[in-house]
Coordinates of all heavy atoms in Angstrom, one line a residue:
M750 N 3.2 257.9 185.4 CA 3.3 258.4 184.0 C 4.0 257.3 183.2 O 5.0 256.7 183.7 CB 4.1 259.7 183.9 CG 4.0 260.2 182.5 SD 5.3 261.5 182.4 CE 5.1 262.4 183.9
L751 N 3.5 257.0 182.0 CA 4.1 256.0 181.1 C 5.6 256.4 180.8 O 5.9 257.5 180.4 CB 3.3 255.9 179.9 CG 3.7 254.9 178.8 CD1 3.5 253.5 179.4 CD2 3.0 255.1 177.5
E752 N 6.5 255.4 181.0 CA 7.9 255.6 180.7 C 8.1 255.3 179.2 O 7.8 254.1 178.8 CB 8.7 254.7 181.5 CG 10.2 254.9 181.4 CD 11.0 253.9 182.2 OE1 10.5 253.3 183.2 OE2 12.2 253.7 181.8
L753 N 8.5 256.3 178.4 CA 8.7 256.1 177.0 C 10.1 255.6 176.8 O 11.0 256.5 176.7 CB 8.4 257.4 176.2 CG 7.0 257.9 176.4 CD1 6.9 259.3 175.8 CD2 5.9 257.0 175.8
R754 N 10.3 254.3 176.8 CA 11.7 253.8 176.7 C 12.2 254.0 175.3 O 11.5 253.9 174.3 CB 11.7 252.3 177.2 CG 11.3 252.2 178.6 CD 11.3 250.9 179.2 NE 10.8 250.9 180.5 CZ 10.5 249.8 181.3 NH1 10.7 248.6 180.7 NH2 10.1 249.8 182.5
P755 N 13.6 254.1 175.2 CA 14.2 254.6 173.9 C 14.3 253.4 172.9 O 14.7 253.8 171.7 CB 15.5 255.1 174.3 CG 15.9 254.4 175.6 CD 14.5 254.1 176.2
S756 N 14.2 252.2 173.2 CA 14.6 251.2 172.2 C 13.9 249.8 172.6 O 13.4 249.6 173.7 CB 16.1 251.0 172.1 OG 16.6 250.7 173.4
C757 N 13.9 248.9 171.6 CA 13.4 247.6 171.9 C 14.3 246.8 172.8 O 15.5 246.7 172.6 CB 13.3 246.8 170.5 SG 12.9 245.1 170.7
E758 N 13.7 246.2 173.8 CA 14.5 245.5 174.8 C 15.2 244.2 174.2 O 16.2 243.8 174.7 CB 13.5 245.0 175.9 CG 14.1 244.6 177.1 CD 13.1 244.4 178.2 OE1 12.4 245.3 178.6 OE2 13.1 243.3 178.8
N759 N 14.6 243.7 173.1 CA 15.3 242.5 172.5 C 16.3 242.9 171.5 O 17.5 242.5 171.6 CB 14.3 241.6 171.9 CG 14.9 240.4 171.2 OD1 15.5 239.6 171.9 ND2 14.8 240.3 169.9
C760 N 16.0 243.7 170.4 CA 16.9 243.9 169.3 C 17.5 245.3 169.4 O 18.4 245.6 168.6 CB 16.2 243.7 168.0 SG 15.0 245.0 167.6
N761 N 17.1 246.1 170.4 CA 17.8 247.4 170.6 C 17.5 248.4 169.5 O 18.2 249.4 169.4 CB 19.3 247.3 170.9 CG 19.8 248.4 171.8 OD1 18.9 249.0 172.6 ND2 21.0 248.7 171.8
R762 N 16.6 248.1 168.6 CA 16.2 249.0 167.6 C 15.6 250.3 168.2 O 14.8 250.2 169.2 CB 15.2 248.3 166.7 CG 14.5 249.2 165.7 CD 13.6 248.3 164.9 NE 12.5 249.0 164.3 CZ 11.4 248.4 163.7 NH1 11.4 247.1 163.6 NH2 10.5 249.1 163.2
P763 N 16.0 251.5 167.7 CA 15.5 252.7 168.3 C 14.0 252.8 168.2 O 13.4 252.6 167.2 CB 16.2 253.8 167.5 CG 17.4 253.2 166.9 CD 17.0 251.8 166.7
L764 N 13.3 253.2 169.3 CA 11.9 253.4 169.3 C 11.6 254.8 169.9 O 11.3 255.0 171.1 CB 11.2 252.4 170.2 CG 11.3 251.0 169.6 CD1 10.7 250.0 170.6 CD2 10.5 250.8 168.3
P765 N 11.8 255.9 169.1 CA 11.6 257.2 169.6 C 10.1 257.5 170.0 O 9.3 256.7 169.7 CB 12.0 258.1 168.4 CG 11.9 257.2 167.2 CD 12.3 255.8 167.7
A766 N 9.9 258.5 170.7 CA 8.6 258.8 171.3 C 7.5 258.8 170.3 O 6.3 258.5 170.5 CB 8.6 260.1 172.0
N767 N 7.8 259.1 169.0 CA 6.8 259.2 167.9 C 6.7 258.0 167.1 O 6.1 258.0 166.1 CB 7.0 260.5 167.1 CG 8.3 260.4 166.3 OD1 9.1 259.4 166.5 ND2 8.6 261.3 165.4
S768 N 7.4 256.9 167.6 CA 7.4 255.7 166.7 C 6.1 254.9 166.8 O 5.5 254.8 167.9 CB 8.5 254.7 167.3 OG 8.4 253.5 166.6
L769 N 5.6 254.5 165.6 CA 4.3 253.8 165.6 C 4.6 252.3 165.8 O 3.7 251.4 165.7 CB 3.6 254.0 164.2 CG 3.2 255.4 164.1 CD1 2.6 255.6 162.7 CD2 2.1 255.8 165.1
D770 N 5.9 251.9 165.8 CA 6.3 250.5 166.0 C 6.5 250.0 167.4 O 6.9 248.9 167.7 CB 7.6 250.2 165.2 CG 7.3 250.2 163.7 OD1 6.2 249.8 163.3 OD2 8.2 250.7 162.9
A771 N 6.4 250.9 168.4 CA 6.6 250.6 169.7 C 5.4 249.8 170.4 O 4.3 250.2 170.1 CB 6.9 251.8 170.6
R772 N 5.8 248.8 171.0 CA 4.7 248.0 171.7 C 5.1 247.9 173.2 O 6.2 247.7 173.5 CB 4.6 246.6 171.2 CG 4.3 246.5 169.7 CD 2.8 246.9 169.4 NE 2.5 246.9 168.0 CZ 2.6 247.9 167.2 NH1 3.1 249.1 167.6 NH2 2.2 247.8 165.9
I773 N 4.1 248.0 174.1 CA 4.3 247.9 175.5 C 3.4 246.9 176.2 O 2.3 246.6 175.8 CB 4.1 249.2 176.2 CG1 2.7 249.8 176.0 CG2 5.2 250.2 175.8 CD1 2.4 251.0 176.8
C774 N 3.8 246.3 177.3 CA 3.0 245.5 178.2 C 2.5 246.3 179.3 O 2.8 247.5 179.3 CB 3.8 244.2 178.7 SG 4.8 244.6 180.1
S775 N 1.7 245.8 180.2 CA 1.2 246.6 181.2 C 2.2 247.1 182.1 O 1.9 248.0 183.0 CB 0.0 245.9 182.0 OG 0.6 244.9 182.8
Y776 N 3.4 246.5 182.2 CA 4.5 247.0 183.0 C 5.5 247.9 182.3 O 6.6 248.2 182.7 CB 5.2 245.8 183.6 CG 4.5 245.1 184.7 CD1 3.8 243.9 184.4 CD2 4.4 245.6 185.9 CE1 3.1 243.2 185.3 CE2 3.6 244.9 186.9 CZ 3.0 243.7 186.6 OH 2.2 243.1 187.5
E777 N 5.1 248.3 181.0 CA 5.9 249.1 180.2 C 7.1 248.5 179.6 O 8.0 249.2 179.1 CB 6.3 250.4 181.0 CG 5.1 251.1 181.6 CD 5.4 252.4 182.4 OE1 6.6 252.8 182.4 OE2 4.6 252.9 183.1
C778 N 7.2 247.1 179.7 CA 8.2 246.5 179.0 C 8.0 246.8 177.5 O 6.9 246.8 177.0 CB 8.1 245.0 179.1 SG 8.1 244.4 180.8
T779 N 9.1 247.2 176.8 CA 8.9 247.9 175.5 C 9.7 247.1 174.4 O 10.9 246.9 174.6 CB 9.5 249.3 175.6 OG1 8.7 250.0 176.6 CG2 9.3 250.1 174.2
F780 N 9.0 246.8 173.4 CA 9.6 246.0 172.3 C 9.1 246.6 170.9 O 8.1 247.3 170.9 CB 9.2 244.5 172.3 CG 9.8 243.8 173.5 CD1 9.1 243.8 174.7 CD2 10.9 243.1 173.4 CE1 9.6 243.1 175.9 CE2 11.5 242.4 174.5 CZ 10.8 242.5 175.7
C781 N 9.8 246.2 169.8 CA 9.3 246.7 168.5 C 8.2 245.7 168.0 O 8.1 244.6 168.5 CB 10.5 246.8 167.6 SG 11.2 245.3 167.0
A782 N 7.5 246.2 167.1 CA 6.4 245.4 166.5 C 6.9 244.1 165.9 O 6.2 243.0 166.1 CB 5.6 246.2 165.5
D783 N 8.0 244.1 165.2 CA 8.6 242.9 164.6 C 8.9 241.9 165.7 O 8.5 240.7 165.5 CB 9.8 243.2 163.9 CG 9.6 243.7 162.4 OD1 8.4 243.6 162.1 OD2 10.6 244.2 161.9
C784 N 9.5 242.3 166.8 CA 9.9 241.3 167.8 C 8.6 240.8 168.5 O 8.5 239.6 168.8 CB 10.8 241.9 168.8 SG 12.4 242.1 168.2
V785 N 7.6 241.6 168.7 CA 6.3 241.2 169.4 C 5.6 240.1 168.5 O 5.2 239.1 169.0 CB 5.4 242.4 169.7 CG1 4.0 241.9 170.0 CG2 6.0 243.2 170.8
E786 N 5.7 240.4 167.2 CA 4.9 239.5 166.3 C 5.7 238.2 166.0 O 5.2 237.1 166.0 CB 4.5 240.2 165.0 CG 3.4 241.2 165.2 CD 3.4 242.3 164.1 OE1 3.9 242.0 163.0 OE2 2.9 243.4 164.4
K787 N 7.0 238.4 165.6 CA 7.7 237.3 165.1 C 8.4 236.4 166.1 O 8.6 235.3 165.9 CB 8.7 237.8 164.0 CG 8.0 238.3 162.8 CD 9.0 239.0 161.8 CE 8.2 239.7 160.8 NZ 9.0 240.8 160.1
L788 N 8.8 237.1 167.2 CA 9.6 236.3 168.2 C 8.8 236.0 169.5 O 8.8 234.9 170.0 CB 10.9 237.2 168.6 CG 11.7 236.6 169.7 CD1 12.4 235.3 169.4 CD2 12.7 237.7 170.2
L789 N 8.1 237.0 169.9 CA 7.4 236.9 171.3 C 6.0 236.4 171.2 O 5.4 236.0 172.2 CB 7.4 238.3 171.9 CG 8.7 239.0 172.1 CD1 8.5 240.4 172.7 CD2 9.6 238.1 173.0
A790 N 5.4 236.3 170.0 CA 4.0 235.8 169.8 C 3.1 236.5 170.8 O 2.2 235.9 171.4 CB 4.0 234.3 170.1
N791 N 3.3 237.8 170.9 CA 2.4 238.6 171.8 C 2.4 238.2 173.3 O 1.4 238.4 174.0 CB 1.0 238.7 171.3 CG 0.2 239.9 171.8 OD1 0.9 241.0 172.2 ND2 -1.0 239.8 172.0
V792 N 3.5 237.6 173.7 CA 3.7 237.2 175.1 C 4.9 238.0 175.7 O 6.0 237.8 175.1 CB 3.9 235.7 175.4 CG1 4.2 235.4 176.8 CG2 2.6 235.0 174.9
C793 N 4.7 238.8 176.7 CA 5.9 239.5 177.3 C 6.8 238.5 178.0 O 6.3 237.8 178.8 CB 5.3 240.6 178.3 SG 6.7 241.4 179.1
P794 N 8.1 238.5 177.7 CA 9.0 237.6 178.2 C 9.3 237.8 179.7 O 9.8 237.0 180.4 CB 10.3 237.7 177.4 CG 10.2 239.1 176.9 CD 8.7 239.4 176.7
N795 N 8.9 239.0 180.2 CA 9.2 239.4 181.6 C 8.0 239.1 182.5 O 8.2 238.7 183.6 CB 9.6 240.9 181.7 CG 10.7 241.2 180.8 OD1 11.7 240.4 180.7 ND2 10.7 242.3 180.1
C796 N 6.8 239.3 182.0 CA 5.6 239.1 182.9 C 4.6 238.1 182.3 O 3.7 237.7 183.1 CB 5.0 240.4 183.2 SG 4.1 241.2 181.7
G797 N 4.7 237.8 181.1 CA 3.7 236.8 180.5 C 2.4 237.5 180.0 O 1.6 236.8 179.5
G798 N 2.3 238.8 180.1 CA 1.1 239.5 179.6 C 1.2 239.8 178.1 O 2.2 239.5 177.5
G799 N 0.2 240.4 177.6 CA 0.2 240.8 176.2 C 0.7 242.2 175.9 O 1.0 242.9 176.9
F800 N 0.7 242.6 174.6 CA 1.2 243.8 174.3 C 0.1 244.7 173.6 O -0.9 244.2 173.0 CB 2.3 243.7 173.3 CG 3.6 243.2 173.9 CD1 3.9 241.9 173.9 CD2 4.5 244.1 174.5 CE1 5.1 241.4 174.5 CE2 5.6 243.7 175.2 CZ 5.9 242.3 175.1
T801 N 0.3 246.0 173.6 CA -0.6 246.9 172.9 C 0.3 248.0 172.3 O 1.5 248.2 172.8 CB -1.6 247.5 173.9 OG1 -2.6 248.2 173.3 CG2 -0.9 248.4 174.9
P802 N -0.1 248.7 171.2 CA 0.6 249.8 170.7 C 0.9 250.9 171.7 O 0.0 251.2 172.5 CB -0.2 250.3 169.5 CG -1.1 249.2 169.2 CD -1.3 248.5 170.5
R803 N 2.1 251.4 171.8 CA 2.4 252.5 172.7 C 1.8 253.8 172.2 O 2.0 254.2 171.0 CB 3.9 252.7 172.9 CG 4.3 253.7 174.0 CD 5.8 253.7 174.2 NE 6.5 254.4 173.0 CZ 7.8 254.4 172.9 NH1 8.6 253.8 173.8 NH2 8.4 255.0 171.9
P804 N 1.0 254.5 173.0 CA 0.5 255.8 172.6 C 1.6 256.8 172.3 O 2.6 256.8 172.9 CB -0.4 256.2 173.7 CG -0.4 255.1 174.7 CD 0.7 254.2 174.4
I805 N 1.3 257.8 171.5 CA 2.2 258.9 171.2 C 1.9 260.0 172.1 O 0.8 260.5 172.2 CB 2.0 259.4 169.7 CG1 2.1 258.2 168.7 CG2 2.9 260.5 169.4 CD1 3.5 257.6 168.6
R806 N 3.0 260.5 172.8 CA 2.8 261.7 173.6 C 3.0 262.9 172.8 O 3.9 263.0 172.0 CB 3.9 261.7 174.7 CG 3.8 262.8 175.8 CD 4.6 262.6 176.9 NE 4.3 261.3 177.6 CZ 5.1 260.7 178.5 NH1 6.2 261.2 178.9 NH2 4.7 259.6 179.1
P807 N 2.1 263.9 172.9 CA 2.2 265.1 172.0 C 3.6 265.8 172.1 O 4.2 265.9 173.2 CB 1.1 266.0 172.4 CG 0.2 265.1 173.3 CD 1.1 264.0 173.8
T808 N 4.1 266.3 171.0 CA 5.2 267.1 171.0 C 4.9 268.6 171.2 O 5.7 269.5 171.5 CB 6.0 267.0 169.7 OG1 5.2 267.3 168.6 CG2 6.6 265.7 169.5
T809 N 3.6 268.9 171.1 CA 3.1 270.3 171.1 C 2.4 270.5 172.5 O 1.7 269.5 172.9 CB 2.1 270.6 170.0 OG1 2.8 270.5 168.8 CG2 1.5 272.0 170.1
N810 N 2.5 271.6 173.1 CA 1.9 271.8 174.4 C 0.4 272.3 174.1 O 0.1 273.5 174.2 CB 2.6 272.9 175.1 CG 2.1 273.2 176.5 OD1 1.1 272.5 176.9 ND2 2.7 274.1 177.3
W811 N -0.4 271.4 173.8 CA -1.8 271.6 173.4 C -2.6 272.1 174.7 O -3.4 273.0 174.6 CB -2.5 270.4 172.9 CG -2.0 269.9 171.6 CD1 -1.3 268.7 171.4 CD2 -2.0 270.5 170.3 NE1 -1.0 268.5 170.1 CE2 -1.3 269.6 169.5 CE3 -2.4 271.7 169.9 CZ2 -1.1 269.9 168.1 CZ3 -2.2 272.0 168.5 CH2 -1.6 271.2 167.7
K812 N -2.2 271.5 175.8 CA -3.0 271.8 177.0 C -2.2 271.5 178.3 O -1.7 270.4 178.5 CB -4.2 270.9 177.0 CG -5.3 271.3 177.9 CD -6.7 270.6 177.7 CE -7.7 271.1 178.6 NZ -9.0 270.4 178.4
G813 N -2.1 272.4 179.2 CA -1.7 272.1 180.6 C -0.3 271.6 180.7 O -0.1 270.8 181.7
D814 N 0.6 271.9 179.8 CA 2.0 271.4 179.9 C 2.1 269.9 179.9 O 3.0 269.2 180.3 CB 2.7 271.8 181.2 CG 3.1 273.3 181.1 OD1 3.2 273.8 179.9 OD2 3.4 273.9 182.1
S815 N 1.1 269.2 179.3 CA 1.1 267.7 179.2 C 1.7 267.4 177.7 O 0.9 267.2 176.8 CB -0.3 267.1 179.3 OG -0.7 267.3 180.6
Y816 N 3.0 267.4 177.6 CA 3.6 267.2 176.3 C 5.1 266.8 176.6 O 5.6 266.8 177.7 CB 3.5 268.4 175.5 CG 4.4 269.6 175.7 CD1 5.3 270.0 174.8 CD2 4.4 270.2 177.0 CE1 6.2 271.1 175.0 CE2 5.2 271.3 177.3 CZ 6.1 271.7 176.3 OH 6.9 272.8 176.5
L817 N 5.7 266.3 175.4 CA 7.1 265.8 175.5 C 8.1 266.9 176.1 O 9.1 266.5 176.7 CB 7.6 265.4 174.2 CG 7.3 263.9 173.8 CD1 7.8 263.7 172.3 CD2 8.0 263.0 174.7
G818 N 7.8 268.1 175.8 CA 8.8 269.2 176.2 C 8.9 269.2 177.7 O 10.0 269.5 178.3
K819 N 7.8 268.9 178.5 CA 7.9 268.9 179.9 C 8.1 267.5 180.5 O 8.8 267.3 181.4 CB 6.6 269.4 180.5 CG 6.5 269.3 182.0 CD 5.5 270.3 182.6 CE 5.3 270.0 184.1 NZ 4.7 268.7 184.2
D820 N 7.6 266.5 179.8 CA 7.8 265.1 180.2 C 8.4 264.3 179.1 O 7.8 263.5 178.4 CB 6.4 264.5 180.5 CG 5.7 265.3 181.6 OD1 6.3 265.5 182.6 OD2 4.5 265.5 181.5
P821 N 9.7 264.4 178.9 CA 10.4 263.8 177.8 C 10.5 262.3 177.9 O 10.3 261.7 179.0 CB 11.8 264.4 177.9 CG 12.0 264.9 179.3 CD 10.6 265.2 179.8
A822 N 10.8 261.7 176.8 CA 11.0 260.2 176.8 C 12.2 259.8 177.6 O 13.2 260.6 177.7 CB 11.2 259.8 175.3
S823 N 12.2 258.6 178.1 CA 13.4 258.1 178.8 C 14.6 257.9 177.9 O 14.4 257.6 176.7 CB 13.0 256.7 179.5 OG 14.1 256.1 179.9
T824 N 15.7 258.0 178.4 CA 17.0 257.8 177.6 C 17.6 256.4 178.2 O 18.7 256.1 177.7 CB 17.9 258.9 177.7 OG1 18.2 259.2 179.1 CG2 17.3 260.2 177.0
K825 N 17.1 255.8 179.1 CA 17.7 254.6 179.8 C 17.4 253.4 179.0 O 16.3 252.9 178.9 CB 17.2 254.5 181.2 CG 17.9 253.4 182.0 CD 17.3 253.2 183.4 CE 17.8 252.0 184.0 NZ 17.0 251.5 185.0
V826 N 18.4 252.9 178.3 CA 18.3 251.7 177.4 C 18.2 250.5 178.3 O 19.0 250.3 179.3 CB 19.5 251.6 176.5 CG1 19.5 250.3 175.7 CG2 19.5 252.8 175.5
R827 N 17.3 249.6 178.0 CA 17.2 248.2 178.6 C 17.3 247.3 177.6 O 16.3 246.9 176.9 CB 15.9 248.1 179.4 CG 15.7 249.2 180.4 CD 14.3 249.1 181.0 NE 13.9 250.2 181.8 CZ 13.6 250.2 183.0 NH1 13.5 249.0 183.7 NH2 13.3 251.3 183.7
H828 N 18.5 246.8 177.3 CA 18.7 245.8 176.3 C 19.0 244.4 176.9 O 20.0 244.1 177.5 CB 20.0 246.2 175.5 CG 20.1 245.4 174.2 ND1 21.3 245.2 173.6 CD2 19.3 244.7 173.5 CE1 21.2 244.4 172.6 NE2 20.0 244.0 172.5
R829 N 17.9 243.6 176.9 CA 18.0 242.2 177.4 C 17.5 241.3 176.4 O 16.3 240.9 176.4 CB 17.1 242.1 178.7 CG 17.7 243.0 179.9 CD 16.8 242.9 181.1 NE 15.6 243.6 181.0 CZ 14.7 243.8 181.9 NH1 14.9 243.4 183.1 NH2 13.5 244.5 181.7
P830 N 18.3 240.8 175.5 CA 17.9 239.9 174.4 C 17.2 238.7 174.9 O 17.6 238.1 176.0 CB 19.1 239.6 173.6 CG 20.1 240.7 173.9 CD 19.8 241.1 175.4
V831 N 16.2 238.3 174.2 CA 15.3 237.1 174.6 C 15.9 235.9 174.1 O 16.3 235.8 172.9 CB 13.9 237.3 174.1 CG1 13.0 236.1 174.4 CG2 13.3 238.6 174.8
D832 N 16.0 234.8 174.8 CA 16.4 233.5 174.3 C 15.2 232.9 173.6 O 14.1 232.6 174.2 CB 16.8 232.6 175.5 CG 17.1 231.2 175.1 OD1 16.6 230.7 174.0 OD2 17.9 230.5 175.8
P833 N 15.3 232.7 172.3 CA 14.0 232.3 171.5 C 13.5 230.9 171.9 O 12.3 230.8 172.0 CB 14.6 232.2 170.1 CG 15.8 233.1 170.0 CD 16.4 233.0 171.4
E834 N 14.3 230.0 172.2 CA 13.8 228.7 172.6 C 13.1 228.7 174.0 O 12.0 228.2 174.2 CB 14.9 227.6 172.6 CG 15.4 227.3 171.2 CD 16.5 226.3 171.2 OE1 16.7 225.6 172.2 OE2 17.1 226.2 170.1
A835 N 13.7 229.4 174.9 CA 13.2 229.5 176.3 C 11.9 230.3 176.2 O 10.8 229.9 176.8 CB 14.1 230.2 177.2
H836 N 11.8 231.3 175.3 CA 10.6 232.1 175.2 C 9.5 231.3 174.6 O 8.3 231.3 175.0 CB 10.8 233.4 174.5 CG 9.5 234.2 174.5 ND1 9.1 234.8 175.6 CD2 8.6 234.3 173.5 CE1 7.9 235.4 175.3 NE2 7.5 235.1 174.0
A837 N 9.8 230.5 173.6 CA 8.8 229.6 172.9 C 8.1 228.7 174.0 O 6.9 228.5 174.0 CB 9.4 228.8 171.8
R838 N 8.9 228.1 174.9 CA 8.4 227.2 175.9 C 7.5 228.0 176.8 O 6.5 227.6 177.2 CB 9.5 226.5 176.7 CG 10.2 225.4 175.9 CD 11.1 224.6 176.8 NE 12.2 225.3 177.4 CZ 13.4 225.5 176.7 NH1 13.6 225.0 175.6 NH2 14.3 226.2 177.3
F839 N 8.0 229.2 177.3 CA 7.2 230.0 178.2 C 5.9 230.4 177.6 O 4.8 230.3 178.2 CB 8.1 231.3 178.5 CG 7.5 232.3 179.4 CD1 7.1 232.0 180.7 CD2 7.3 233.6 179.0 CE1 6.6 232.9 181.6 CE2 6.7 234.5 179.9 CZ 6.4 234.2 181.2
A840 N 5.9 230.9 176.3 CA 4.7 231.3 175.7 C 3.7 230.2 175.5 O 2.5 230.3 175.7 CB 5.0 232.0 174.4
A841 N 4.2 229.0 175.2 CA 3.4 227.8 175.0 C 2.7 227.4 176.3 O 1.5 227.1 176.4 CB 4.1 226.7 174.4
A842 N 3.5 227.5 177.4 CA 3.0 227.1 178.7 C 1.9 228.1 179.1 O 0.8 227.6 179.7 CB 4.1 227.1 179.7
I843 N 2.0 229.3 178.9 CA 1.0 230.3 179.2 C -0.3 230.0 178.4 O -1.4 230.1 179.0 CB 1.5 231.8 179.0 CG1 2.5 232.1 180.1 CG2 0.3 232.7 179.0 CD1 3.2 233.4 179.9
R844 N -0.1 229.7 177.2 CA -1.4 229.4 176.4 C -2.1 228.2 176.9 O -3.3 228.2 176.8 CB -1.0 229.3 174.9 CG -1.1 230.5 174.2 CD -1.0 230.4 172.7 NE -0.3 231.6 172.2 CZ 1.0 231.6 172.2 NH1 1.8 230.6 172.4 NH2 1.5 232.8 171.8
I845 N -1.4 227.2 177.4 CA -2.0 226.0 177.9 C -2.7 226.3 179.2 O -3.8 225.8 179.4 CB -1.0 224.9 178.0 CG1 -0.6 224.4 176.6 CG2 -1.5 223.7 178.8 CD1 0.7 223.6 176.6
L846 N -2.1 227.0 180.1 CA -2.6 227.3 181.4 C -3.7 228.3 181.4 O -4.7 228.2 182.2 CB -1.5 227.8 182.3 CG -0.4 226.7 182.6 CD1 0.8 227.3 183.4 CD2 -1.0 225.6 183.5
L847 N -3.7 229.2 180.5 CA -4.7 230.3 180.5 C -5.2 230.5 179.1 O -5.1 231.6 178.5 CB -4.0 231.6 181.0 CG -3.4 231.7 182.4 CD1 -2.5 232.9 182.6 CD2 -4.6 231.7 183.4
P848 N -5.9 229.5 178.6 CA -6.4 229.7 177.2 C -7.4 230.8 177.0 O -7.4 231.4 176.0 CB -7.0 228.3 176.9 CG -7.3 227.7 178.3 CD -6.3 228.2 179.2
E849 N -8.2 231.1 178.0 CA -9.2 232.1 177.9 C -8.6 233.5 178.1 O -9.0 234.4 177.3 CB -10.3 231.9 178.8 CG -10.7 230.4 178.8 CD -12.2 230.1 178.9 OE1 -12.9 231.0 179.5 OE2 -12.6 229.1 178.3
A850 N -7.7 233.6 179.1 CA -7.2 234.9 179.3 C -6.3 235.4 178.2 O -6.1 236.6 178.0 CB -6.4 234.9 180.6
R851 N -5.7 234.5 177.4 CA -4.8 234.8 176.4 C -5.5 234.8 175.0 O -4.9 234.5 174.1 CB -3.6 234.0 176.4 CG -2.8 234.1 177.8 CD -1.8 235.1 177.8 NE -1.1 235.3 176.5 CZ -0.7 236.5 176.2 NH1 -0.8 237.5 177.0 NH2 -0.1 236.7 175.0
Ligands
LIG32 ZN1 12.8 244.5 168.4
LIG33 ZN1 5.9 242.7 180.7

């Protein structure tokens, strides 16, 4: 199940379960839209993959107990600020090595 992390890993801005600004990579690394666009250039600093908007888990039990009330968002903060210069080199290297995949 997708782990709905509570905040941006870089700037620690709160990203509640209903936030439209949450972005995730395929490993669920979670950042805010601002950091993904302005700092990360859509490259995850942990795995090198891209980001997608995080889906909203329903707050209402529409069907079969698949909702936030039974499967709440995570409260475990992962605050690991990104070094902008190191990340710029990392993102540039990925673009050179994998131009088509990225
Ligand atoms: Zn952020
Ligand atoms: Zn990642």
Side-chain angles (χ1 to χ4, degrees):
M750 186 195 319
L751 183 68
E752 186 185 339
L753 302 170
R754 298 181 183 171
S756 57
C757 172
E758 195 170 307
N759 179 62
C760 71
N761 211 21
R762 168 176 157 188
L764 295 170
N767 64 354
S768 173
L769 296 174
D770 288 327
R772 301 288 181 268
I773 55 171
C774 82
S775 75
Y776 289 100
E777 307 176 10
C778 307
T779 304
F780 294 86
C781 71
D783 274 353
C784 287
V785 165
E786 284 157 29
K787 293 172 187 161
L788 173 68
L789 301 177
N791 198 32
V792 173
C793 176
N795 304 318
C796 69
F800 288 95
T801 192
R803 185 176 71 187
I805 305 293
R806 185 169 299 164
T808 54
T809 298
N810 186 1
W811 299 114
K812 194 170 183 183
D814 282 344
S815 298
Y816 76 120
L817 270 177
K819 176 159 170 295
D820 300 314
S823 167
T824 56
K825 188 183 166 200
V826 171
R827 298 174 196 238
H828 187 206
R829 293 179 288 188
V831 174
D832 176 336
E834 289 181 16
H836 183 73
R838 286 194 296 274
F839 180 60
I843 286 173
R844 265 190 218 89
I845 290 164
L846 292 171
L847 296 169
E849 316 218 331
R851 301 267 331 148

